[in-house]
Amino acid sequence: MLAPLSWLKDYVDIDVTPKELEEKLFSCGFEVEELIEVGKEISNVVVGLVTECEPIPETHLHVCQVDAGEHGKFQICCGADNVRAGKKFPVALVGATVYMTAKDHVTIEGTMTIKKGKLRGYESQGMLCSGTELGLNEDLYPGAGYNGLLELPDDAKVGEDVKEMLGLNDWIFDIAITANRPDCQSIYGIAREVAAVLGKECREPALDYTESGITKDGFTVTVDAPDLCPRYIAHYVTDVKIAPSPAWMRRRLALVGIGGISNVVDITNYVLKELGQPMHAFDESYLEGNAIHVRRANDGEKIVTLDEKEFELNHSNLVICDGKKPVALAGIMGGLNSEIKDDTTSVMFEAAKFARDNIRKSSRALGQVSDSSATYAKGVYEYTTVMAMKRALHLIEELNCGKVSSTHVEVNTGNSIEPTEMKVSVKRVNGVLGIEVPTDEMMRILTALNFAPSMDGDELTLQIPAYREDMESYPDVAEEVIRMYGYDHVIPTFMPTAEVTLGGLNPKQKTELKIKNALCAAGAYEGIHYSFFSPSDLDLLGLPVDAPQRHAIKLMNPINIDLSLMRTTLAPQMIHAMARNQKRGILEGRIFELGNIFIPKDLPLTDYPDERETLCVGLFGENESFYTLKGFAEVVADTLGLTFTYEAAQLPFLHPYQTAEVFCNGEKIGYLGKVSYEIMDELDMRAAAYVMELDLRVLSQWYGQTQMFTPLPKFAEEKRDFAFVVDKNITCAQIENGIREACKYITDIRLFDVYEGAQLGADKRSMAFSVVFTPKEEEFTGEMVEGFVKKILKNLEKNLQISLRS
């Protein structure tokens, strides 16, 4: 939001420096992102009177004698075609800084410092300046657009600095407006805040006008979509004379980034910036049917806007029509078929309140953005709509560019634009702030904010203006009071339940950090995904309709359909991450994510969902397998000092023979397996992928448990490797359990190889294990170890029909 200081002074007597005003605005909640000094680069440029002007033979140059008043008289060479004796121009003295222009004399390429020099043998002691060299254009100062010297008024005082005369001593505040204060996205809105923070009166813009008595008989306005347009005002103006706007209006518009077009169009832009209300002016001669009709567009209906772009509309777009056709895209841009032209003689002014969400969605969907659509998207109040129409009609009279008729039609839904009463407790207001604001000071602040306060004991009664829809309850009142009273008055105190601690991580955080470090040590990288996913992700997993993962929370206003559900599983995002890496040529990797899933108790929501901490691990590449993924589960188990068991399972998105459920102390904690070939084909994944999910909420019951120290064995451990030929339907867990059952001295079992081949048979495979035997009270002998081996082989052959590979 750009706010020129000179414009703000129209409404408030500002008696502080721009820097001081910047600090005061910041103190009351308005961040000045940039304070722009308009003529910052211009220095030592004064009014000069050319007393003599002689041409230099055989050139376009002139040698001039210039009177710069108290600065002296100088000889300056000049090539402009409008230089002549008796006229006054800006003179850049030696040492002055001005803008340097390109060959087109319009484009600014930087700044330059004026030095003494010679042209065609004539000494030149300065430079006579054009408007461009001073950073001006035709809108900022009349005559500045001419490709020659900038002529100054005859009454300009010789030797005086040109900055004040040309408006180069102005300042522009670039202010960040928060989403809850759309009433401040205008010059007048900021002026109200400036007046409050300075303790000054804020003058209201002139709104008076005189109706001519002329009427437009039979003219009607109908609104078919009052939910999208709760207030629409139309006013007829006759005897319009299209001409350039006065210099003061063009300058103000230029300072906020808008070029002058014509008086009528400039009035609508001026009101937009002054009051924050978009307006539009229709050439009445192009309106058919003597009517304005506000409705939703028909599907496939087309309109060509003022920038000559054609749009195909749908039922979600709002259009302004005459009696036969659309003439404007509501809140975004007018139609080319009713634009103001040089021969326009009658105008229909429009001021309306449109629903901000509809304008924002239409603007985004059509790819058409304007100052009006940006303003509507942030919010416009019906109070301002009424005020803006009065202001525009006043400016029509002030600029003498038309006559205000008596035809004024307003359609609204009955919303009041009068102040609404709010009663709050002073004690509760102070309770929010944690301090006691003096009653007199609170009353002064609320009066300055136009809340017309009155107090009866502890009860404070306020009259909330219609443009302050953000004011809902006592916390809002507390915010208004403290931002004006000063946040430096707030005394830092502890919350009632606060405790002084030494800081650090709690047991849960420490344990999760240990898990992350262990996974990183195993070669995995941590990834983070959004907490939202797409309905198509659940379809990708092939989950049945009644699957609990489909019981997901839908967002009311999602960014897009791909982020429309709160995730109930981390698997889809991990699978997509592995697919994206492969598409970018990364064919192997290990990723993990520790994040929350969101399980609703009921839908629609009646309570907060259950946020469950979940660990997801994804592996992909030719060197990865089901067993390397199982190894990551064991990493988690070892980190927590637990033992996991595994049982064969089937999930629709995993390989039917390479899927297992994970258990801890008999309680299911997750699953792991190979991503199905169907999903790999759909996502164009070239390398095999594996995914695991573990419920950390369940595992958290074992967080922080004391791990018992086991002393190193007194005697040497013994290690034996086994290669078994097994049926493919026998799991690794079954074999490990069979080995453990056979011998109480086994402390570690590791699967280190899996082999399948034709020589073993189609239904067989080889699995190789490394088994560690740890002695307790006595040293193992060779005969004892061989006895352990025989027991293992006998148990496996008896229960699982497993034999050693020969």
Side-chain angles (χ1 to χ4, degrees), residues 333-380:
M333 190 172 289
L336 189 63
N337 57 5
S338 59
E339 71 170 325
I340 302 298
K341 298 181 179 179
D342 291 343
D343 58 353
T344 296
T345 58
S346 58
V347 164
M348 187 64 71
F349 269 122
E350 166 197 278
K353 155 80 171 180
F354 297 121
R356 68 172 73 180
D357 57 337
N358 177 264
I359 302 303
R360 182 179 65 250
K361 290 176 182 177
S362 292
S363 177
R364 183 186 298 171
L366 297 172
Q368 183 76 335
V369 180
S370 63
D371 287 340
S372 292
S373 67
T375 303
Y376 273 120
K378 294 171 184 173
V380 167

Side-chain angles (χ1 to χ4, degrees), residues 82-94:
N82 63 332
V83 62
R84 57 189 182 276
K87 287 295 181 181
K88 296 175 181 178
F89 307 99
V91 178
L93 306 175
V94 173

Side-chain angles (χ1 to χ4, degrees), residues 394-454:
H394 170 86
L395 290 171
I396 285 288
E397 282 195 346
E398 183 178 334
L399 271 57
N400 194 28
C401 57
K403 293 182 180 179
V404 180
S405 79
S406 298
T407 297
H408 178 97
V409 182
E410 180 173 342
V411 178
N412 63 74
T413 56
N415 295 331
S416 174
I417 60 173
E418 297 301 319
T420 57
E421 187 174 88
M422 177 191 293
K423 293 181 182 293
V424 297
S425 163
V426 175
K427 183 177 180 180
R428 298 188 76 179
V429 170
N430 286 328
V432 172
L433 303 177
I435 59 174
E436 293 289 331
V437 179
T439 302
D440 292 346
E441 189 66 14
M442 186 179 293
M443 294 292 285
R444 182 195 66 78
I445 290 170
L446 295 173
T447 300
L449 291 170
N450 299 320
F451 291 158
S454 60

Side-chain angles (χ1 to χ4, degrees), residues 705-767:
Q705 68 177 2
T706 303
Q707 296 189 10
M708 300 300 294
F709 171 72
T710 302
L712 294 174
K714 298 177 181 178
F715 308 104
E717 294 179 329
E718 293 289 339
K719 180 179 177 182
R720 294 291 185 272
D721 292 340
F722 300 86
F724 300 115
V725 177
V726 303
D727 291 336
K728 286 186 176 180
N729 61 353
I730 294 177
T731 66
C732 177
Q734 289 176 292
I735 299 172
E736 289 184 359
N737 290 336
I739 294 173
R740 288 187 187 279
E741 290 171 357
C743 180
K744 65 180 181 180
Y745 294 105
I746 295 173
T747 54
D748 190 37
I749 303 173
R750 299 279 179 179
L751 174 71
F752 66 86
D753 186 54
V754 178
Y755 172 76
E756 296 180 10
Q759 64 270 36
L760 296 177
D763 60 344
K764 300 287 186 180
R765 63 183 167 196
S766 171
M767 302 179 71

Side-chain angles (χ1 to χ4, degrees), residues 50 56 102 258 283 398 421 490 599 628 681 751 755 757:
V50 177
I56 298 177
I258 297 179
D283 186 326
E398 183 178 334
E421 187 174 88
V490 176
I599 309 300
T628 55
D681 290 341
L751 174 71
Y755 172 76

